[in-house]
């Protein structure tokens, strides 16, 4: 039996109290009117009015707690199906917050508990996100039983479905996030296509939840600037250098950025890990806001200047400015959300290297994170940074072959893996990389070519879509070498895919399935030999 949520219990309690109160008032009123000699018809009118008022209150409570279904988002697409499976209510809470983020990005959403999802619901959906808790020793929440016995017992075909899973669990138990992975495996076996690898959350880990929020922003076209659910505790780093590395490219400007720790102590990280950057507004934007508000940006509040506080937060509206003094204003500021970037370097290089494309908002102004790193941050100035371990994209053993596939700025994460492999003496590396033009967009090209010539990269396949040639995209080149892909896989190779969530990643996934078969691809996933970091 499903345990009612706190919200449901609260609504039931309110209804019960209203019923008792309405009954008491009606009884007292009727008694008073009776002794005053009021006609019986009047009593019935009073009773009817009371019942209607009570019914209206009940309807209002139901309306407040109902599941909300959007019709169409600003992108014109049908609603995304957002599903929760929760034992204690945490997954349902995260589902509500996820819906809030997606709707803020202009996407239509409909929310369902897993017990409300059947085969027809899935067959009618095109995009599905599932937030699933694991209870006990790898069990599903109680209310998921109808789905397990119903939809999951049927031979469904879901090749039209794109999905993502947020798996909640506790590593102190033997079957960590087992139910989330069970859903992921079942959907893959039914032909559904993962938007990204399952995100595991250990005991409400803030970093994993920030990563999930980042993925939600990407699904929404990166159009939301909602504050992080769990703000990062950043460390101070310095901007050592930045350089435009694709001048003349038909694509968006791409920058290589180098960061060093402010205290000079380089921490350790693994190839595949990412950094979270705390962006700031352009100083000129904050100056303009302060001028309009007639406030002194040099005023110190809580150990920092008003200008610094504003640079890291959403700038208040005129209404918010009128409602508080500067101290209260600072206390009410909403921090800017973080931005994630793959690390292109290793600790022995003494710096964090990033490769990022400048994103533009609809009005043509630079995006929040890329604008800060590419345009606004001063050389030598402070950059707020923290690391996030990304075990789903860590490398295999160095004695196993490695196939690295990526496009665009996805080469950053792959470059770190190659650097680590070379340091370990591993030569069985196959890199497939795609971009627009060889002349302008072959990031780290000289270095990669030198590694190939020295034998550190056994196979190097590059494809440039605007240069013509036999193959246009990286998936086309991979398709041309199905036999080689199969052979490397038979020899124990791991596949790492890094780059675009739209286009490249699903196309590469289809080629891998063509080469290995669905069962062969599933075997790689289960063995941890097919990993993706897509965005």
């Amino acid at each position: 039996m499903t345990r009612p949520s706190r919200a449901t219990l609260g609504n039931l309690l309110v209804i019960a109290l209203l019923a008792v109160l309405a009954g008491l008032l009606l009884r007292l009123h009727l008694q008073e009117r009776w002794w005053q000699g009021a006609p019986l018809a009047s009593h019935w009118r009073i009773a009817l009015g009371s019942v209607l008022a009570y019914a209206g209150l009940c309807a209002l409570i139901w309306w407040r707690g109902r599941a909300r279904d959007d019709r169409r988002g600003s992108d014109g697409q049908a609603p995304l199906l957002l599903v929760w499976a929760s034992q204690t209510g945490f997954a349902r809470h995260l589902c509500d917050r996820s819906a809030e983020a997606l709707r803020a990005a202009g996407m239509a959403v409909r929310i369902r508990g897993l017990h409300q999802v059947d085969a027809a619901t899935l067959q009618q959906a095109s995009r599905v996100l599932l937030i699933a808790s694991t209870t006990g020793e790898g069990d599903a929440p109680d209310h998921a039983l109808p789905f397990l016995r119903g939809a999951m017992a049927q031979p469904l075909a879901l090749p039209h479905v794109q999905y993502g899973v947020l798996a909640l669990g506790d590593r102190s138990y033997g079957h960590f996030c087992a139910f989330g992975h069970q859903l992921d495996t079942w959907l893959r076996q039914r032909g559904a296509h993962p938007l990204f690898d399952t995100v595991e959350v250990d005991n409400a880990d803030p970093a994993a939840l920030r990563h999930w929020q980042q993925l939600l922003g990407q699904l929404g076209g990166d159009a939301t600037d909602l504050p992080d659910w769990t703000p990062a505790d950043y460390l101070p780093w310095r901007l050592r250098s930045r350089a435009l590395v694709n001048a003349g490219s038909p694509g968006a400007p791409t920058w290589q950025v180098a960061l060093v720790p402010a205290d000079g102590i380089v921490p350790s990280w693994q190839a595949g890990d990412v950094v979270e950057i705390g962006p700031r507004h352009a100083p000129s934007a904050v100056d303009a806001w302060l001028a309009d508000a007639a406030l002194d940006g040099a005023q110190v509040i809580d150990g920092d200047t008003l200008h610094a506080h504003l640079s890291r937060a959403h700038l208040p509206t005129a209404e918010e400015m009128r409602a508080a003094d500067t101290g209260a204003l600072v206390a009410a500021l909403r921090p800017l959300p973080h931005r994630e970037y793959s690390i292109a370097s290793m600790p022995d290089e003494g710096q964090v290297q990033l490769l990022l494309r400048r994103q533009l908002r609809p009005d043509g102004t630079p995006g929040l994170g890329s604008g800060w790193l590419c345009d606004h941050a001063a050389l030598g100035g402070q950059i707020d940074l923290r690391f996030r371990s990304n075990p789903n994209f860590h490398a295999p053993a160095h004695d196993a072959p490695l196939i690295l596939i990526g496009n665009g700025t996805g080469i950053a994460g792959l470059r770190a893996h190659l650097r680590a492999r070379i340091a370990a003496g591993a030569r069985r590396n196959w890199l497939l990389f795609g971009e627009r033009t060889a002349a302008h967009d072959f990031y780290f090209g000289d270095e990669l070519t030198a590694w190939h010539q020295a034998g550190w990269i056994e196979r190097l396949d590059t494809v440039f879509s605007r240069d013509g040639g036999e193959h246009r995209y990286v998936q086309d080149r991979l398709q041309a070498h199905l036999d080689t892909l199969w052979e490397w896989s038979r020899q124990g190779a791991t596949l790492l895919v890094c780059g675009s969530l739209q286009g490249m990643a699903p196309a590469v996934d289809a080629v891998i399935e063509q080469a290995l078969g669905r069962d062969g691809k599933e075997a790689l996933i289960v063995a941890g030999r097919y990993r993706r970091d897509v965005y």
Side-chain angles (χ1 to χ4, degrees):
M1 182 177 178
T2 303
R3 179 185 300 174
S5 69
R6 291 183 179 180
T8 301
L9 289 173
N11 284 344
L12 290 174
L13 179 60
V14 170
I15 292 173
L17 289 174
L18 286 171
V20 172
L21 180 60
L24 288 174
L25 290 174
L26 180 58
R27 182 176 179 180
L28 289 172
H29 189 72
L30 287 175
Q31 286 178 340
E32 180 182 0
R33 296 281 291 172
W34 178 266
W35 289 112
Q36 290 176 354
L40 186 60
S42 177
H43 299 162
W44 282 110
R45 285 195 298 270
I46 294 167
L48 180 60
S50 299
V51 170
L52 290 175
Y54 169 66
L57 286 170
C58 291
L60 179 62
I61 292 170
W62 171 84
W63 179 264
R64 179 175 170 267
R66 79 195 193 288
R68 174 183 166 189
D69 284 356
D70 301 327
R71 292 182 179 274
R72 293 276 174 179
S74 60
D75 57 2
Q77 296 194 47
L80 178 147
L81 178 61
L82 193 52
V83 181
W84 56 268
S86 184
Q87 190 72 13
T88 64
F90 184 52
R92 186 170 188 174
H93 169 70
L94 292 179
C95 188
D96 290 339
R97 300 206 70 173
S98 299
E100 177 185 316
L102 292 170
R103 284 168 174 151
M107 294 184 65
V109 175
R110 56 181 175 138
I111 299 176
R112 295 290 185 271
L114 191 57
H115 59 286
Q116 300 170 308
V117 176
D118 56 16
T121 304
L122 290 176
Q123 289 172 328
Q124 293 167 7
S126 58
R127 296 177 295 175
V128 182
L129 295 181
L130 301 104
I131 302 176
S133 294
T134 297
T135 67
E137 293 298 329
D139 300 323
D142 296 340
H143 73 99
L145 187 58
F147 182 81
L148 292 170
R149 292 179 175 176
M152 290 187 74
Q154 299 181 40
L156 299 179
L158 303 171
H160 60 287
V161 174
Q162 293 180 307
Y163 74 94
V165 177
L166 181 68
L168 311 179
D170 185 337
R171 288 193 185 276
S172 65
Y173 289 87
H175 302 280
F176 177 60
C177 292
F179 183 55
H181 286 293
Q182 181 183 353
L183 291 172
D184 174 54
T185 300
W186 180 79
L187 285 164
R188 287 178 186 268
Q189 291 173 345
R190 297 301 179 272
H193 303 283
L195 291 163
F196 40 76
D197 289 341
T198 295
V199 178
E200 298 177 339
V201 182
D202 179 20
N203 272 326
D205 173 39
L209 293 178
R210 284 196 301 273
H211 179 51
W212 174 256
Q213 190 179 8
Q214 176 92 355
L215 292 171
L216 294 177
Q218 292 167 2
L219 285 175
D222 209 22
T224 176
D225 284 340
L226 292 178
D228 289 339
W229 298 341
T230 52
D233 185 14
Y234 297 115
L235 296 173
W237 281 57
R238 302 291 178 192
L239 177 59
R240 168 178 282 182
S241 65
R242 65 175 164 223
L244 178 65
V245 293
N246 70 336
S249 169
T254 300
W255 298 75
Q256 186 171 337
V257 172
L259 308 170
V260 294
D263 60 7
I265 302 174
V266 178
S268 61
W269 66 84
Q270 294 188 52
D273 287 346
V274 301
V275 291
E276 298 176 349
I277 298 294
R280 302 190 184 191
H281 294 295
S284 59
V286 179
D287 290 340
W289 186 95
L290 287 166
D292 289 341
L295 293 175
D296 180 10
Q299 180 183 358
V300 176
I301 303 171
D302 293 337
D304 215 339
T305 65
L306 177 59
H307 192 288
H309 284 297
L310 291 168
S311 70
R312 298 187 292 263
H314 289 279
L315 296 176
T317 63
E319 182 177 350
E320 291 169 333
M321 290 163 49
R322 289 193 298 268
D325 59 26
T326 53
L329 189 67
V330 168
L333 290 175
R334 297 178 300 134
L336 293 172
H338 78 282
R339 289 295 184 261
E340 291 185 356
Y341 300 100
S342 299
I343 305 173
S345 56
M346 294 300 294
D348 64 345
E349 298 177 81
Q351 60 185 5
V352 164
Q353 291 185 38
L354 307 177
L355 186 70
L356 61 151
R357 203 181 301 276
R358 183 197 277 124
Q359 302 294 327
L360 297 179
R361 298 186 176 100
D363 63 0
T365 59
L368 186 60
S370 61
W372 169 239
L373 290 174
C374 299
D375 298 307
H376 308 317
L379 287 175
Q382 179 174 318
I383 302 294
D384 295 329
L385 176 150
R386 68 163 286 161
F387 292 88
R388 180 175 66 78
S389 177
N390 189 19
N392 284 341
F393 203 62
H394 285 169
H398 294 306
D399 59 353
L402 182 63
I403 303 173
L404 304 109
I405 306 169
N407 71 331
T409 57
I411 191 62
L414 303 182
R415 190 261 180 196
H417 277 293
L418 285 169
R419 173 88 186 193
R421 297 269 293 181
I422 291 171
R427 292 179 175 270
R428 294 228 58 202
N429 304 306
W430 178 11
L431 173 64
L432 298 101
F433 171 67
E435 243 292 355
R436 288 176 174 82
T437 66
H440 307 293
D441 306 293
F442 191 9
Y443 311 126
F444 305 109
D446 292 343
E447 185 178 49
L448 295 174
T449 300
W451 286 346
H452 177 49
Q453 292 173 347
W456 292 113
I457 299 177
E458 184 173 319
R459 291 183 60 101
L460 176 62
D461 287 281
T462 57
V463 181
F464 298 97
S465 61
R466 302 295 180 88
D467 289 350
E470 185 180 2
H471 304 119
R472 187 171 185 186
Y473 299 114
V474 67
Q475 58 265 28
D476 300 329
R477 180 62 59 85
L478 184 64
Q479 171 107 39
H481 296 292
L482 290 182
D483 291 342
T484 306
L485 174 59
W486 184 89
E487 181 62 25
W488 277 59
S489 175
R490 188 188 66 81
Q491 295 170 4
T494 290
L495 289 82
L496 299 181
V497 180
C498 190
S500 174
L501 176 66
Q502 304 294 333
M504 186 278 294
V508 166
D509 183 80
V511 174
I512 292 171
E513 184 169 316
Q514 180 182 351
L516 309 178
R518 180 175 296 177
D519 291 343
K521 186 183 76 171
E522 294 296 329
L524 285 187
I525 293 170
V526 171
R529 290 174 48 205
Y530 175 23
R531 306 179 181 183
R532 306 194 306 171
D533 183 13
V534 296
Y535 46 85

